[in-house]
Amino acid sequence: MPWNFRKKPTVLLFGLLTLAGLLIAALRNTSGMSRPQVTSGIFTDVTEAAGITWTHFNGESPDAHLIETKNGGVAFLDYDQDGMLDVFLLNGGETPRGKSPTPVRNALYRNLGNGKFEEVAAKAGVDRISFFGIGVAVGDFDNDGYPDILATGYPERALFHNNRDGTFSEVTGKAGLKGLGRWSTGAAWFDYDRDGLLDLVICHYGQMSFDSAPRCEFRGTPTYCAPRSYGEGAPLALYHNKGDGTFADVSNPSGVDKNIGRGLGAVAVDVDDDGWTDLFVTRDGSPNLLLMNQRNGTFRDFAMDAEVAYDPNGVAKAGMGIDAADVNGDGRPDFVMTAFNSEYHSLFMNPGSFPFDDWTVSSGLGYLTMPFVGWGTHFLDYDNDGIMDLLIVSGHVNKIVELTRSDVTYKELPLLLRNDGKGSFRNAEDIAGPAFHARYDARGLAVGDYDNDGDVDAAFVRLQGTPVLLRNNVGQDSGWVGFQLVGTKSNRDAIGSKLTLRWGDRKLVRWITGGASIFSSHDHRVVFGLGANPSPPAISVEVQWSSGMTQTIDGIAPNRYHKIVEPLGATQ
């Protein structure tokens, strides 16, 4: 481990700290900010106009199986490589007493390039799975230039190989990725050993059986049992890509299977800037994991040292969604984690050494998220001013919560949180658009520029409803520059790479991460916002490829995407 450790004052009374912080946050978030306001909605719900009509089904039943609440996968991907992002939606499934009136099918919406999408899942061969679906992870595992799809679930999972002709083949058994009765949830593609091939980490939740699941009720009404009713959890799994279409289970030799818990989300990013990709794993009522890559095929958990395993009271939060980005402009990846209502979502700032700094209170995030059960989350620069903002979608688990609390609802508002550039957030609901004044039982959230206009759009899944596709209306009004990296020595998706953009005295850092959010997969392109001023005349970008190679390109033209292919002769 290359980092130094810092001594940190002990937190004596987190309750007093929280109260004081919330009061400060309330004052900070009601004050004016220097960033310009917009008069129209930042995002527009274009789901109906786009022709997206697919409906999610979660098997909701009187038996109240907890798995009914933990699903809803979505992905942006260019499956046919026509230069436009398509949308894949993974359905849940039926339970013994939760039957669908129509066949439960996934959806693959092909982007027609005119704001419309065509549903082609059956034609592509990805419309049906034989298990209860939960999450999606997209990655080009064989480096052929076409994205492949992993669907997690219970009691199996499925790997769909892209045939490069608009169709997919299910190759799970051949690849050695069968679920074997396990309840798999979040997953992330990343190259942990820097051999140029995408490996795979898969989270597992707990002991699941439709025949002997726990039963709970409130005043005679069936309700979902607490996570601990499903056991202490299950080991994390890591699969090494052998390069021949198959994977080897290296969970034990890598050390990741020591970590028993109820895993939900994962993001793969180089935490300590040593050129090797690490993992942050969120867990539900189990301590989170910060698995640092030891550069020898093994990982070591530093969550306790980083003080991200538990909250300041020593309690494991209901960790769900996760993402990483540079929140305060210091060039290091910081982390957001969504959690249950009254727990507060967490913001962990990376100072370049352990422990991390918990900015949950001081950033205003605790105040803003207190009543919400957060799921999908992602950092994005919605107005292209160069500052990473935050999008969160939410929805409670138990409908009976409205009978027991007046401050919490079952369906909840999404949150668009505006960053002042120093790590302080305020709610942008007044300008975000009508979709941010509607309540949803949302789960997976994916981000990507589906209309190629230089700003980041979003899509999320609603339980038992149609998904929501949000078009960004404002980002293209500012300067921007986008990059699509193509690895040669690195994995083709360039997951694990770091990009540093420079112009004048400004520097912005972004990463191509694996995983992130929850149950979802995202556009692998990177967009940098340049602000509302005239576009800078001289822009350069430095790419630290996941292979360890470094490449610098000068004279980058703004307001367009650039494809950068990793040169075999780049310097290390």
Side-chain angles (χ1 to χ4, degrees):
M1 179 66 191
W3 279 9
N4 294 321
F5 289 82
R6 297 176 297 121
K7 291 185 178 180
K8 189 174 182 181
T10 302
V11 176
L12 299 177
L13 290 173
F14 182 63
L16 292 177
L17 174 64
T18 300
L19 178 60
L22 294 183
L23 290 172
I24 293 170
L27 293 172
R28 293 171 71 179
N29 284 284
T30 56
S31 63
M33 302 182 83
S34 60
R35 293 170 66 180
Q37 300 290 308
V38 297
T39 57
S40 59
I42 295 166
F43 287 97
T44 299
D45 181 349
V46 295
T47 312
E48 183 176 354
I52 296 177
T53 59
W54 171 87
T55 301
H56 178 267
F57 185 79
N58 71 340
E60 184 176 335
S61 72
D63 299 319
H65 298 287
L66 191 59
I67 199 172
E68 299 167 12
T69 73
K70 299 182 184 299
N71 60 97
V74 56
F76 279 114
L77 73 164
D78 183 6
Y79 84 96
D80 52 0
Q81 290 297 285
D82 64 354
M84 294 178 290
L85 287 179
D86 313 298
V87 181
F88 178 72
L89 296 153
L90 180 68
N91 226 323
E94 295 183 320
T95 58
R97 291 202 291 167
K99 302 298 183 182
S100 174
T102 58
V104 178
R105 297 184 183 276
N106 310 316
L108 177 61
Y109 279 97
R110 180 173 178 266
N111 191 337
L112 301 178
N114 58 359
K116 303 287 186 180
F117 289 78
E118 173 192 12
E119 211 289 293
V120 296
K123 184 190 304 185
V126 294
D127 61 323
R128 300 296 298 272
I129 55 176
S130 60
F131 53 90
F132 194 103
I134 293 179
V136 183
V138 174
D140 182 5
F141 76 83
D142 57 355
N143 287 336
D144 66 354
Y146 284 74
D148 310 297
I149 301 173
L150 176 83
T152 64
Y154 169 79
E156 289 292 340
R157 44 188 179 241
L159 179 63
F160 292 102
H161 175 254
N162 194 322
N163 298 322
R164 298 184 291 175
D165 60 1
T167 69
F168 292 78
S169 296
E170 198 268 298
V171 296
T172 319
K174 176 183 176 183
L177 292 175
K178 297 283 286 181
L180 304 175
R182 289 186 283 184
W183 179 357
S184 55
T185 53
W189 294 100
F190 74 120
D191 182 7
Y192 77 89
D193 55 355
R194 303 203 326 189
D195 65 354
L197 298 168
L198 285 179
D199 310 300
L200 181 64
V201 63
I202 299 180
C203 303
H204 296 106
Y205 192 80
Q207 287 68 53
M208 175 65 198
S209 170
F210 287 127
D211 296 328
S212 58
R215 299 286 189 266
C216 297
E217 62 179 40
F218 176 77
R219 297 177 183 172
T221 301
T223 187
Y224 296 107
C225 296
R228 61 180 177 273
S229 301
Y230 289 80
E232 292 302 311
L236 201 65
L238 181 64
Y239 295 91
H240 177 252
N241 190 335
K242 297 165 65 177
D244 59 359
T246 67
F247 293 79
D249 187 342
V250 294
S251 307
N252 182 262
S254 68
V256 304
D257 67 350
K258 300 175 184 176
N259 304 294
I260 307 298
R262 293 176 289 270
L264 281 177
V267 64
V269 67
D270 183 2
V271 174
D272 55 358
D273 203 28
D274 68 348
W276 295 73
T277 306
D278 311 296
L279 288 169
F280 194 122
V281 179
T282 59
R283 304 201 294 180
D284 189 3
S286 305
N288 300 318
L289 305 174
L290 184 62
L291 298 175
M292 303 300 294
N293 194 325
Q294 301 300 291
R295 297 180 285 182
N296 60 3
T298 68
F299 290 83
R300 183 179 168 192
D301 182 23
F302 279 83
M304 290 291 289
D305 303 281
E307 296 186 5
V308 299
Y310 300 94
D311 73 7
N313 291 320
V315 176
K317 289 186 178 182
M320 291 185 274
I322 180 71
D323 194 25
D326 180 8
V327 171
N328 59 351
D330 65 0
R332 293 185 286 265
D334 310 302
F335 295 89
V336 65
M337 181 188 78
T338 58
F340 214 72
N341 64 270
S342 302
E343 288 185 334
Y344 319 119
H345 303 354
S346 294
L347 181 64
F348 299 114
M349 302 297 286
N350 179 352
S353 58
F354 292 155
F356 286 177
D357 296 321
D358 190 336
W359 281 25
T360 300
V361 173
S362 60
S363 68
L365 191 65
Y367 166 76
L368 293 165
T369 63
M370 181 171 57
F372 297 102
V373 177
W375 295 90
T377 185
H378 214 283
F379 289 108
L380 75 170
D381 180 5
Y382 70 78
D383 54 357
N384 277 338
D385 67 350
I387 299 170
M388 298 302 284
D389 309 298
L390 183 59
L391 179 60
I392 303 171
V393 297
S394 305
H396 210 279
V397 174
N398 277 306
K399 293 180 179 179
I400 63 166
V401 68
E402 296 181 1
L403 301 176
T404 63
R405 295 189 57 166
S406 60
D407 59 332
V408 178
T409 59
Y410 173 67
K411 293 187 177 182
E412 298 180 327
L413 300 170
L415 296 173
L416 182 64
L417 304 182
R418 198 174 195 185
N419 182 1
D420 69 353
K422 300 177 182 179
S424 179
F425 291 88
R426 81 172 206 185
N427 197 338
E429 61 183 338
D430 292 342
I431 56 175
F436 290 81
H437 295 270
R439 296 181 181 273
Y440 308 92
D441 42 0
R443 293 300 185 264
L445 165 73
V447 302
D449 182 10
Y450 80 84
D451 51 3
N452 287 334
D453 64 352
D455 56 27
V456 178
D457 312 296
F460 63 88
V461 172
R462 299 187 299 145
L463 297 185
Q464 304 283 68
T466 55
V468 177
L469 178 64
L470 295 174
R471 185 189 66 215
N472 189 326
N473 300 315
V474 303
Q476 69 270 24
D477 296 334
S478 294
W480 62 277
V481 62
F483 298 97
Q484 178 183 3
L485 301 189
V486 179
T488 53
K489 185 176 181 181
S490 302
N491 66 87
R492 191 178 179 94
D493 289 337
I495 293 172
S497 298
K498 173 185 175 182
L499 296 89
T500 303
L501 196 78
R502 292 182 173 89
W503 76 97
D505 60 354
R506 291 206 65 181
K507 181 180 80 169
L508 300 178
V509 180
R510 305 285 186 263
W511 295 263
I512 301 178
T513 61
S517 188
I518 193 171
F519 311 149
S520 306
S521 198
H522 317 277
D523 191 352
H524 289 147
R525 296 176 298 177
V526 175
V527 177
F528 288 88
L530 303 177
N533 296 322
S535 297
I539 305 174
S540 69
V541 64
E542 178 186 89
V543 180
Q544 292 176 248
W545 294 88
S546 60
S547 65
M549 300 297 177
T550 300
Q551 175 185 8
T552 300
I553 301 174
D554 298 316
I556 298 293
N559 302 319
R560 55 165 292 190
Y561 280 101
H562 300 263
K563 179 181 285 189
I564 300 178
V565 178
E566 181 182 18
L568 294 177
T571 60
Q572 188 166 10

